[in-house]
Amino acid sequence: MSEKDTGAVREELIKYYDGAERVATIIDEEVAFPDGKLIVSRTDLKGIITHVNQAFVDMSAYSRDELVGANHNILRHPDMPAVAFKGLWDTIENGEKWQGYVKNLRKDGRYYWVKATVIPNVRDGKLVGYTSVRRKPSRSKIVESEKLYSTLM
Amino acid sequence: MPFNFTVSPDFAPDHMSGWFYFNTWLQRNLETEIHLELFDSFDEQREEIRAGKIDLIYANPYDASMLVREHGFKAVVRPAGKRDEAVVVVPASSGAEVVEDLSAGVRLATTADPDVHTIGMIMLEPADLDKSNITQREYDTYILVAKALLRGDADVGFFLKQGFDELSDLIKKQMRVLVSSQISVVHHSLLIGPNMQEYSDSLNGLLVNMHNEPKGAGVLESMGIKRWESMSVEQTEFMIDLIDTLMI
Ligand SMILES: Cc1cc2nc3c(=O)[nH]c(=O)nc-3n(C[C@H](O)[C@H](O)[C@H](O)COP(=O)(O)O)c2cc1C
């Protein structure tokens, strides 16, 4: 757990890139990334989830049924700057791999940090979707990212 | 000209003769000539692959990626229930309780097994360790990795989970597992090369039924494999995509 966690609960309006909005409950409490696991998901070209592994289900606290078919921004945390995701999309739509640190929002309002790698899925020469694999980040990288992202908000 | 068959050098030594029985069984059932060649090192084997000399290979997931994407190989089957997982191990006397207790300068004992090494390095990342701030030495076998840990020549070691589990209790008792990977979608597979594609369907049909046939069942047992499972193109591509994300 992060030492700065206060456990404070707040309601916050999350505004998405496409203009959609939702009010989410945000709890300042980290859930630790499970040792040795990878959190895996795949999306179509628009970022709609097509596959999740069990670690994804467990960490997000949503059910598989709630996740598959949903927009991947279901995990967007209000502490993440929009520019980080712009960088992600610009990179993968260009056919390249993206790697970065992401703070994710769970269904219960708590959060978890990941080191994410997103790659384009090419089949028979055609881009058909994206795969993201997350690993456990180091504490120092989380602290660095928290600092950086707060300046980009 | 016979086709050329090879096996990823990370096979368990106990199963070496099993791969020769398998080749004999294959030749009889596919009614074609196949030559089995085993290599001591991954590099030697990769040279033969690049030279286009391999037609059939039981490949580790890392090499499978190169074989499919660069050399036009196709996955036919995978061994049921067998997954490639890695463990990060320290001597029992180590002060480290979790990976995060390891610090820059640790001495790593590893092998040339590309999957185990890659997964192992990922499991060190939470401690801010990477190849720039550790010293590493490559050993030929997992027994030698264990010996390096026990002799105090290394602070941390990487093992294929199965390789670690198969060590004697006496040796295992002197070590401690810090982290065990639980990836579950990365595994070896039998891949067929472009020159042998015409046998793809018959090979698949034969192999998925191999365990139902008395001779086949015996051969499988000698290879330490329960039965073969068919692999679809998409399953293969998914595994390769996943491995791709681990390479950076
Ligand atoms: C394969 C893939 C995985 C993604 N994983 C996440 C994720 O874990 N968390 C997240 O907030 N956004 C993730 N995104 C980015 C989202 O699509 C989205 O851009 C982001 O949540 C911000 O929401 P917005 O763009 O609707 O404003 C992922 C995108 C792709 C293509």
Side-chain angles (χ1 to χ4, degrees):
Chain A
M1 302 304 96
S2 171
E3 281 154 27
K4 323 191 270 60
D5 280 355
T6 60
V9 182
R10 66 184 202 264
E11 301 285 317
E12 191 158 333
L13 181 72
I14 303 178
K15 291 185 174 168
Y16 301 101
Y17 182 73
D18 63 2
E21 304 180 341
R22 79 167 167 125
V23 176
T25 302
I26 311 296
I27 303 176
D28 189 26
E29 185 184 326
E30 182 172 11
V31 176
F33 193 108
D35 279 321
K37 293 199 183 178
L38 297 176
I39 299 178
V40 182
S41 65
R42 303 167 83 185
T43 70
D44 65 12
L45 293 172
K46 295 193 173 125
I48 304 299
I49 300 173
T50 54
H51 164 97
V52 290
N53 73 349
Q54 189 57 42
F56 191 112
V57 174
D58 295 344
M59 280 304 280
S60 69
Y62 286 98
S63 70
R64 197 177 293 265
D65 281 351
E66 286 172 308
L67 291 166
V68 173
N71 188 311
H72 216 310
N73 65 18
I74 189 169
L75 297 189
R76 167 135 192 222
H77 198 285
D79 293 350
M80 281 298 293
V83 61
F85 295 115
K86 173 147 189 348
L88 184 165
W89 279 100
D90 285 351
T91 307
I92 60 176
E93 283 181 338
N94 212 5
E96 288 162 32
K97 296 181 189 179
W98 179 89
Q99 193 164 60
Y101 295 86
V102 180
K103 182 176 187 173
N104 276 326
L105 178 62
R106 292 163 47 98
K107 187 181 184 183
D108 62 12
R110 294 188 288 166
Y111 68 90
Y112 58 102
W113 277 96
V114 300
K115 175 178 178 179
T117 309
V118 185
I119 64 161
N121 303 143
V122 179
R123 304 287 184 267
D124 298 322
K126 276 217 315 248
L127 181 61
V128 297
Y130 304 103
T131 298
S132 176
V133 176
R134 297 96 178 160
R135 355 171 167 164
K136 186 176 187 182
S138 73
R139 188 49 53 187
S140 70
K141 295 289 184 196
I142 294 176
V143 171
E144 244 173 61
S145 307
E146 278 173 337
K147 269 202 204 119
L148 174 67
Y149 294 159
S150 68
T151 65
L152 297 174
M153 294 302 291
Chain B
M1 276 271 282
F3 290 113
N4 286 315
F5 172 37
T6 187
V7 176
S8 177
D10 57 1
F11 65 85
D14 292 355
H15 298 143
M16 178 144 121
S17 49
W19 287 104
F20 282 95
Y21 303 147
F22 178 64
N23 191 43
T24 306
W25 184 91
L26 264 188
Q27 295 184 76
R28 200 164 291 152
N29 286 276
L30 270 187
E31 295 174 358
T32 184
E33 225 184 307
I34 305 172
H35 167 72
L36 171 61
E37 175 130 13
L38 298 178
F39 296 90
D40 291 334
S41 83
F42 289 92
D43 284 341
E44 255 178 89
Q45 189 177 63
R46 284 190 201 123
E47 263 171 45
E48 294 289 295
I49 294 168
R50 285 200 196 95
K53 291 186 184 156
I54 303 297
D55 304 300
L56 186 66
I57 177 169
Y58 184 66
N60 66 72
Y62 180 98
D63 286 340
S65 179
M66 167 209 24
L67 286 154
V68 171
R69 297 261 162 104
E70 294 165 32
H71 298 277
F73 277 67
K74 289 210 171 85
V76 184
V77 290
R78 65 179 176 196
K82 267 205 178 174
R83 301 292 176 258
D84 288 12
E85 303 287 1
V87 289
V88 174
V89 173
V90 291
S93 59
S94 167
E97 297 290 337
V98 291
V99 159
E100 285 86 344
D101 291 336
L102 299 172
S103 46
V106 287
R107 297 163 304 158
L108 167 68
T110 185
T111 60
D113 189 326
D115 307 301
V116 173
H117 186 74
T118 304
I119 299 170
M121 288 306 289
I122 284 172
M123 291 196 287
L124 292 187
E125 284 182 2
D128 279 322
L129 297 175
D130 59 43
K131 64 177 188 299
S132 74
N133 61 4
I134 61 173
T135 43
Q136 70 177 63
R137 195 168 152 193
E138 205 176 280
Y139 293 88
D140 284 340
T141 64
Y142 293 116
I143 308 271
L144 292 175
V145 171
K147 279 192 179 151
L149 288 171
L150 299 190
R151 272 201 310 260
D153 292 342
D155 307 306
V156 59
F158 294 162
F159 293 81
L160 177 70
K161 182 162 188 318
Q162 201 187 342
F164 182 77
D165 291 344
E166 283 168 3
L167 295 172
S168 76
D169 285 342
L170 186 72
I171 295 183
K172 262 187 291 192
K173 256 202 343 233
Q174 302 175 65
M175 295 183 283
R176 192 148 39 79
V177 174
L178 285 189
V179 215
S180 234
S181 75
Q182 297 172 61
I183 298 173
S184 78
V185 285
V186 171
H187 50 75
H188 280 54
S189 46
L190 188 75
L191 306 172
I192 192 168
N195 295 333
M196 212 178 154
Q197 290 305 335
E198 62 193 284
Y199 287 93
S200 179
D201 290 343
S202 44
L203 187 61
N204 183 69
L206 272 174
L207 293 179
V208 295
N209 289 310
M210 190 172 173
H211 61 286
N212 294 323
E213 187 238 307
K215 271 214 179 99
V219 172
L220 280 171
E221 200 185 332
S222 67
M223 299 156 77
I225 290 174
K226 277 197 216 80
R227 60 183 173 80
W228 295 107
E229 265 172 10
S230 205
M231 257 186 102
S232 70
V233 171
E234 189 45 38
Q235 276 170 334
T236 312
E237 293 287 346
F238 176 43
M239 182 177 86
I240 295 173
D241 281 338
L242 194 137
I243 289 163
D244 259 7
T245 70
L246 304 183
M247 303 316 299
I248 58 167

